Amino acid sequence: MKQLESVKDLAIFGREPAFEKPVHVGKPNVGSRQQLMRRIEDLLDRRWLTNAGPYVIEFEKRLAQFLGVKHAIAMCNATVALEIAIRAVGLKGEVIVPSFTFIATAHALQWQEITPVFADIDPVTHNVAPEAVERMITPRTSGIIGVHVWGRPCAVDALTQIARKHKLKLLFDAAHAMACSHGGKMIGNFGDAEVLSFHATKFLNTFEGGAIVTNDDDLNAKVRLMKNFGFAGYDNVIYLGTNGKMNEVSAAMGITGLESLDEFVAVNRCNYDCYRKELAGIPGVELMQYDGRERGNYQYVVAEIDAERTGISRDELVKVLHAENVLARRYFYPGCHRMEPYRSLFPNAGVLLPNTERVASRVLVLPTGTSVGENEVRMTSRIIRVAAGAGKDVKVKLATLSS
Ligand SMILES: Cc1ncc(COP(=O)(O)O)c(C=O)c1O
C-alpha cells in the first residue's frame, strides 16, 4: 500500500498513484458463473432466445415473489419501462419529478411530449420534498414520479397522500432500490407502479434490463400488451405498443443474480461499514446514512463535501482522487434542469431548486461493490483524509498547477 502521510505524497503533485489500475465506483455484480453458463447453454439448446421465454417467465415469478408484489413485468431496460408505465397510467400535460435524478426519469416524460416539472429535494434525504411537490401542482398536472435515490425510500406516504388529495397518478422510479424496503414492505409495492433497473451498474443486473412492478391487475395486463407491440395472440394486435421485451440471456443473468443477493449486500455492507470507520471525524466530510431498520442494498457510498469546512471543493477532491486512479464520481450533477433540453426550455428552473443545486455540488460517490475490498476502501479514505485535512493547502497547490 502506498505511503500517504501528507499532501506532498499525493499523486496529483507528482507521486505515484495509489492504484495501478482504475478503481471504479461500481463494477457489475455477477452471481455464480457456473449457474449462469448452465442456463445460457440451456437456452441455446432450446433456441428460445426471446419472446416470453421460460427464463423470462421464471425471472418475473421469482422477482414478484421476492418483492411480495402481484405482478413483475420484465423489460429491456428501465427507461423503456418508465416510458411504458407513464403511458399505461395515462400521464399527460405536466408531471412532477425531482431534478436530482438520472436524466432518464425526465426524458421518459419529455420523449412523450409530457412536461417534467422539477421539484426540489430534501437536503438531508436527497429525495424529492413533498411540500415542494405540492407547490408545483397546476391544473395541467396529471401525476408525480418519486425517485428512491441511492435506494433510500422517498417520502412514499406523504406523496401517496398528495396524489390522493389531488387525484394524481403516482409512479416511483425505483432504479436504485432493488431489495430495499420502506416501513418493512419491499419497494415495488407503492404507488400505481414502480420501475426497477437491472442495468449492469445496478445492484441486481441483467446486463441491460428493467421491470415494472405493480399490484394492479388491469395495469399489468395493459403493460404486458404495450411491451409486446400490442399483440394479444398470433396476428392479433389490439393495442398501441412498442418493443420493451427482456431477452432470455438477460433473464438467465437476473435469476442467477437473485440467487446471490445476500452476498452482494454483505459485500456492500462491509465496504460501507469500513468507509464509516475510516472517514469518521474528518471535518466537512459526511457519509450518507442508511436506515438500519429497513432492508437496504448499500449499493451507493455517498459522501457530502462541505467546501467551507474542508477548504477544498468536491470537484477538487475528485481531481485528487482521479490522479490516484480512484474514479469517484459526481452524481446527478448538475441536475436534470441544467441539461438539455430542459436547460433551454426552463432557463430559470434553478431558482426553485436551491437544495438540488447545493446537493449536486457536494455529493461524491465512492467505489464499492464486489470488486472493491478493504484495501481500496482504506486507501480511498486515506486520500480523502489527507486532502480534506489540508484542504486549503491542496487548493493553493492545485491553483499553481493549473496556472
Ligand atoms: C434513477 C434512475 N432512473 C432511471 C435509470 C435508467 O435505467 P436504465 O439504464 O435501465 O434504462 C437509471 C439508471 O441508469 C437511474 O439511475
Side-chain angles (χ1 to χ4, degrees), residues 77-79 82 101-102 104-105 147 173 175-176 197 199 202 208-209:
N77 60 56
T79 306
L82 274 168
T101 178
F102 185 62
T105 321
V147 183
D173 177 338
H176 290 190
S197 171
H199 180 258
K202 298 296 188 287
E208 289 270 3

Side-chain angles (χ1 to χ4, degrees), residues 117-349:
V117 173
F118 298 117
D120 207 7
I121 53 170
D122 177 319
V124 176
T125 67
H126 300 177
N127 281 322
V128 75
E131 55 290 354
V133 168
E134 203 152 23
R135 265 201 304 275
M136 305 310 269
I137 294 174
T138 73
R140 294 192 71 229
T141 308
S142 62
I144 303 165
I145 304 180
V147 183
H148 307 298
V149 174
W150 317 129
R152 295 194 304 179
C154 62
V156 168
D157 304 327
L159 293 178
T160 304
Q161 272 184 13
I162 294 172
R164 270 201 202 120
K165 181 168 143 201
H166 297 271
K167 298 194 169 43
L168 302 174
K169 295 289 180 188
L170 179 60
L171 296 176
F172 290 104
D173 177 338
H176 290 190
M178 172 62 191
C180 300
S181 71
H182 165 68
K185 202 168 176 181
M186 296 308 278
I187 294 288
N189 284 279
F190 302 102
D192 292 289
E194 302 207 53
V195 172
L196 297 159
S197 171
F198 305 128
H199 180 258
T201 54
K202 298 296 188 287
F203 177 63
L204 173 71
N205 91 80
T206 60
F207 303 105
E208 289 270 3
I212 296 178
V213 287
T214 181
N215 286 309
D216 181 328
D217 297 340
D218 294 338
L219 193 60
N220 169 54
K222 206 163 169 184
V223 162
R224 286 190 183 281
L225 282 174
M226 283 180 149
K227 63 120 199 210
N228 189 27
F229 313 99
F231 273 106
Y234 282 118
D235 307 327
N236 187 21
V237 173
I238 61 164
Y239 214 79
L240 174 64
T242 182
N243 185 355
K245 297 188 298 306
M246 177 178 274
N247 68 66
E248 285 288 278
V249 181
S250 289
M253 180 72 163
I255 296 165
T256 309
L258 277 176
E259 290 167 348
S260 294
L261 287 191
D262 290 345
E263 290 154 46
F264 300 159
V265 181
V267 170
N268 283 348
R269 182 73 207 251
C270 182
N271 286 340
Y272 175 79
D273 288 343
C274 188
Y275 272 116
R276 267 222 93 66
K277 200 165 101 222
E278 298 291 324
L279 292 173
I282 307 176
V285 177
E286 198 73 47
L287 197 65
M288 186 197 77
Q289 304 216 25
Y290 287 98
D291 183 345
R293 294 164 302 179
E294 299 286 359
R295 271 187 86 145
N297 60 30
Y298 292 81
Q299 179 76 354
Y300 297 90
V301 177
V302 183
E304 263 190 71
I305 310 303
D306 179 348
E308 276 173 25
R309 294 182 68 204
T310 56
I312 181 175
S313 71
R314 185 273 315 270
D315 289 356
E316 288 160 336
L317 195 50
V318 166
K319 279 190 194 153
V320 169
L321 286 162
H322 281 203
E324 304 286 353
N325 252 334
V326 176
L327 302 188
R329 284 189 53 195
R330 307 187 291 191
Y331 247 69
F332 304 142
Y333 175 83
C336 294
H337 67 291
R338 284 180 176 265
M339 294 183 179
E340 293 298 354
Y342 316 106
R343 180 170 52 191
S344 299
L345 287 170
F346 320 115
N348 301 319

